[in-house]
Every structure is written in structure tokens, then in C-alpha cells.
Amino acid sequence: MSDFHWYPGHMAKAKRAIAEDLKLIDVIIELTDARAPLSSRNPDIDAMANGKMQILVMSKSDLSENSGNTAWTEYFRSMGHDAACVDLKTGNGMSRVKSLLVDAASKKHEKDKKRGIRMQRPLRALVCGIPNVGKSTFINSMAKKNVAKTGNKPGVTKGKQWITVSKGIELLDSPGLLWPKIEDERAALNLALLGSMNDEVIDLERLTSELTGILKARYLQLLSKLYGVSEEDDTEAVLSKIADEMNMLQKGGLPDRERAKQFLIDSFRSGKLGRITLELPE
Ligand code: G4P
């Protein structure tokens, strides 16, 4: 699990590295976490893209709700982004990403033809995103046995390796690291709930009360089925019910709410609570 330690120096370095990679590519594949796609993306990439094609891939869609996945895909499309949801554990949704890349390649082909370019090079893509959104897993899934060492070919930057996704489409084998854009407390809480932020930054108490709030508002059925929680239960009551149900008891038989807090957060992160989307488009 990654921590965020984004001092201005780190941020400037990451920004320079991405800017260098952007010079080599035609398409940006930005990964975000489908459970909170807005909090886990960095919109700065839109300006850095400077008109390059962009594909937004929401990973971990196996952990988020289907209706949320559909709503976010439509939202990003309405904002002009090609978007797709993927489950990188099973590869579900990857064919959609590949077909978006094929579309992008044919757009590039047409553009090159109009410009009179006859020796067309492959479409090149870069995967980027904040820590923990599945960049390495995505690249590995694309790579399988297709890593092509093209570093010594003329016209290709030395040291860079490209993965052939399909004929005429290549992916840079190392991801671009984006920094989180924490614009408000809600985004910070969402990132902390996803496990993408050092757990010491936001205390467990605050995190648990945020999560129980979301669960009670939108996933009460789930809480009620698992732990017998009802609408009138406040955070403390929810934690007591979880502790009772899971047999987490202190000496003297009282429910161990401290243990229940960590258990609830871990169960959310691993998907054991069920498929949960933390934020929805407005
Ligand atoms: P990063 O390069 O962006 O930092 O992310 P990375 O690929 O390392 O993925 C971070 C974690 O998220 C990994 O779990 C990875 O397995 C998991 N992951 C990535 N995509 C998906 C997905 O679509 N669904 C689910 N359920 N998990 C996904 P880990 O705990 O670090 O390792 P492990 O569980 O694979 O052992």
C-alpha cells in the first residue's frame, strides 16, 4: 500500500518526468479508482495533455457498484473523455480499453494521411495515475509476453521499452506517476478510505465516522444484513454491533469498538463489505 509524501520537490520532479514522457506519446491512459474516480484522479493532466488524446480507465471496478460504474462512465464521456471500467484481477473490461486504443490509432492514421506522412509509426500510449490505482497491474496485463525491447531502433528514445498491445499500438512500459490533488476534506477522506494515503494523516475515528455515514446513507441494507445495523444507529452503535457480531470483545465482555473500527475499514478496502462506490457524479 502506498503512502503519499508529496513535498513540492517531489511534485516538481514527477511533473518534469511526465512532461518528458508526454513528448514521446500520442495517447494518455489515465487510471483512477472506480470507487472514487474523481478524488483519485489529478485533473492537472488535462492541461498537461495539451490536446493529446486521453482515455480514462477506472480500475477496481470489481470493488465498486455497477450503477456507480455506469454513472461515472457516462459522466466522463459527457466531459469529453473516452472512459472505461476495468477489473484488473480478471481482465474484465480490458477489451473495451483495447478497442478505444484501436479507435485512437485509426484517428492518428487519418491525421497522418492528411498531413502527407507516409511512413507511419505506431500509436504510442502512456499509462499514468496517482499511487495505488493499478498502473503496474494494468501494464502487466497489457504486457503478458508482448514486451518489445525497441530501445535500439533508430528514432526511439534509448532506454525506453515499449509493449506492443496490438499491430500499430505500443505502450510505454513504465507508468507516469501523478500526484494526488487534494482539493477538499472529502477528497482527502476518500483517498484515505481507499488506502491511498498514509493512515496516520487522518485518524481512524474520523475515517470510521465518514465510512459509516456513507454506508448508512446508501448501503444500509448491506450493514443491516451483515451486522444487524438499523437506521437509527449512530457510529458508536454501528461499531458495537460489528464488534458483537464478530466476537470482538474486551475484557469483561464489552464490545471492542477500537478493533471494530479497523475491521470495518479493512473490510471496505478488501471488498469484503460488498461493492461500494464512495462518491457519485453530481
Ligand atoms: P500502482 O502501480 O498504481 O501503484 O498500483 P498497483 O498496480 O501496484 O496496484 C495496487 C493494488 O491494487 C495491488 O494490490 C493490485 O493487485 C490492486 N489492484 C489493481 N487493480 C485492481 C483491480 O482492478 N481490482 C482489484 N480488486 N484490485 C486491483 P496489492 O494489495 O498491492 O497487491 P496484491 O493484492 O495484488 O497482492
Side-chain angles (χ1 to χ4, degrees):
M1 200 168 287
S2 326
D3 304 0
F4 284 165
H5 290 298
W6 288 104
Y7 305 113
H10 282 74
M11 230 180 267
K13 204 172 153 204
K15 209 166 187 166
R16 275 199 303 276
I18 288 254
E20 279 306 306
D21 284 348
L22 288 179
K23 289 183 195 160
L24 307 173
I25 56 108
D26 311 291
V27 186
I28 299 165
I29 302 173
E30 186 192 357
L31 261 68
T32 63
D33 189 313
R35 291 167 294 173
L38 218 50
S39 300
S40 62
R41 87 174 286 244
N42 185 333
D44 289 355
I45 194 71
D46 292 347
M48 293 177 81
N50 200 15
K52 279 187 203 285
M53 291 182 272
Q54 285 174 266
I55 297 173
L56 204 120
V57 174
M58 289 169 268
S59 62
K60 313 197 186 185
S61 62
D62 53 314
L63 301 177
S64 58
E65 215 185 350
N66 266 334
S67 59
N69 294 345
T70 309
W72 279 113
T73 307
E74 279 165 11
Y75 169 85
F76 285 118
R77 284 198 190 134
S78 75
M79 305 300 265
H81 287 299
D82 278 328
C85 284
V86 295
D87 166 2
L88 293 167
K89 293 259 178 194
T90 61
N92 225 337
M94 287 301 270
S95 56
R96 171 88 191 120
V97 178
K98 284 182 191 157
S99 87
L100 289 172
L101 283 168
V102 170
D103 289 349
S106 71
K107 275 186 203 151
K108 177 185 173 309
H109 190 76
E110 282 306 307
K111 218 163 132 189
D112 286 353
K113 222 159 77 179
K114 276 190 195 142
R115 286 188 186 153
I117 302 170
R118 286 206 286 145
M119 282 292 288
Q120 296 188 355
R121 63 160 177 77
L123 175 96
R124 293 195 181 128
L126 167 74
V127 172
C128 66
I130 68 166
N132 210 36
V133 287
K135 298 180 294 300
S136 311
T137 317
F138 179 90
I139 291 175
N140 286 340
S141 145
M142 281 286 193
K144 295 198 176 109
K145 284 176 197 144
N146 294 329
V147 183
K149 206 168 188 157
T150 51
N152 295 327
K153 279 191 194 164
V156 176
T157 311
K158 231 179 155 195
K160 295 281 179 193
Q161 284 201 16
W162 298 88
I163 292 154
T164 305
V165 173
S166 60
K167 196 170 168 280
I169 301 175
E170 290 182 358
L171 188 69
L172 194 58
D173 88 327
S174 49
L177 189 55
L178 291 173
W179 50 99
K181 185 141 186 157
I182 303 173
E183 288 185 315
D184 50 33
E185 198 195 11
R186 175 54 55 86
L189 284 164
N190 283 340
L191 286 169
L193 284 171
L194 296 178
S196 296
M197 200 150 78
N198 193 334
D199 273 346
E200 284 136 38
V201 176
I202 296 177
D203 69 73
L204 194 58
E205 183 88 35
R206 181 77 190 87
L207 218 50
T208 320
S209 94
E210 177 70 14
L211 183 58
T212 40
I214 295 170
L215 294 175
K216 273 190 59 197
R218 302 211 331 266
Y219 298 96
L220 184 63
Q221 256 189 331
L222 231 151
L223 278 185
S224 132
K225 202 172 118 204
L226 289 170
Y227 310 113
V229 170
S230 55
E231 208 174 343
E232 55 277 6
D233 289 330
D234 61 9
T235 302
E236 291 304 296
V238 172
L239 291 170
S240 295
K241 285 191 172 168
I242 292 174
D244 277 340
E245 191 64 35
M246 301 312 297
N247 227 356
M248 293 173 176
L249 304 175
Q250 293 172 307
K251 271 187 199 148
L254 288 173
D256 189 343
R257 288 200 288 261
E258 283 308 305
R259 263 183 79 196
K261 280 180 193 165
Q262 194 59 55
F263 174 81
L264 180 66
I265 302 288
D266 291 344
S267 304
F268 160 71
R269 286 178 180 162
S270 64
K272 284 188 188 126
L273 274 186
R275 295 176 63 178
I276 288 158
T277 300
L278 294 176
E279 61 184 4
L280 287 169
E282 299 215 331

